[in-house]
Amino acid sequence: MAGPARMDTRMRVAKYRDWIAPRPDCERWELLGGVPVLQGPQPGRHQRIITNIAKHLDDLAERRGCGAYPGLAILSEAMDDYAPIPDVVVQCGEPPDDGYTGDPLLVVEVLSPSTLVLDRGRKTEFYQTVPSLAVLLLVHQDEARVEVWRRAPDWTVEVAGPGAVIDLPELGGALSVAELYARLTF
């Protein structure tokens, strides 16, 4: 005898976009595994790192007709129950009107103790399903350490520590790890 059918209660991106549209702009939600998750404010250290990264990436990206944006949601046809919002996204062409992009070139996640497992786990798996994504930077908050994930054609990972320079041929330049942590002490 068959048991009762389980209903899939995960939200898909289309329903999520309808659900989030009337919400106030001050709320920052992302869709993770079909569940809307409200993000709280980040500590100043986290925000300083994001500001440093966005500033340097935007300078590099502008020369290529791209821009660095904090707060764009990423979409992937391969995983229709995710719309994460990384800390910084580099996208080429015009900025999206609706806050979503399916064609990021580079994504940055600043790792917090409370989100480390998720950011290095399911989110990283999700980002790897986005065909246009060439580079994923996982930036540690409490030490000068950056994991550089690069599609070449399979994903590889290198770790950049203090004094290192991260080569970004996709943007025709490089990022100094020291620049990412400017105005911070450990």
Side-chain angles (χ1 to χ4, degrees):
M1 175 178 211
R6 275 184 67 152
M7 190 168 135
D8 185 0
T9 58
R10 293 179 304 159
M11 193 179 285
R12 301 290 178 201
V13 169
K15 184 176 179 184
Y16 165 76
R17 290 176 78 162
D18 290 341
W19 176 84
I20 200 167
R23 299 228 176 272
D25 288 343
C26 63
E27 293 181 2
R28 184 174 157 132
W29 292 85
E30 58 184 350
L31 184 66
L32 303 175
V35 178
V37 177
L38 179 63
Q39 296 181 346
Q42 297 295 339
R45 178 179 198 83
H46 191 106
Q47 292 184 34
R48 167 54 46 203
I49 294 169
I50 292 169
T51 299
N52 291 344
I53 292 169
K55 179 175 88 171
H56 291 292
L57 283 178
D58 198 50
D59 288 345
L60 289 174
E62 184 179 18
R63 296 183 293 212
R64 296 282 171 118
C66 305
Y69 305 96
L72 284 182
I74 306 295
L75 301 177
S76 171
E77 290 182 15
M79 293 179 73
D80 191 35
D81 60 351
Y82 268 75
I85 301 175
D87 292 303
V88 181
V89 176
V90 173
Q91 180 201 336
C92 298
E94 292 296 316
D97 293 331
D98 60 2
Y100 297 87
T101 183
D103 62 348
L105 176 64
L106 184 146
V107 165
V108 179
E109 286 281 5
V110 177
L111 303 175
S112 298
S114 62
T115 65
L116 179 71
V117 172
L118 177 64
D119 290 345
R120 292 185 80 226
R122 289 295 288 155
K123 277 190 178 181
T124 296
E125 291 172 13
F126 168 81
Y127 294 136
Q128 291 175 356
T129 71
V130 179
S132 64
L133 187 63
V135 179
L136 170 63
L137 301 178
L138 299 180
V139 180
H140 291 252
Q141 182 174 298
D142 297 325
E143 64 177 310
R145 176 186 165 113
V146 180
E147 296 175 31
V148 182
W149 293 69
R150 191 176 304 276
R151 187 186 307 267
D154 295 326
W155 286 93
T156 62
V157 182
E158 293 180 17
V159 176
V165 174
I166 301 166
D167 188 33
L168 294 173
E170 302 82 2
L171 296 175
L175 280 177
S176 159
V177 171
E179 291 173 332
L180 306 184
Y181 297 98
R183 300 170 55 186
L184 296 171
T185 57
F186 294 98

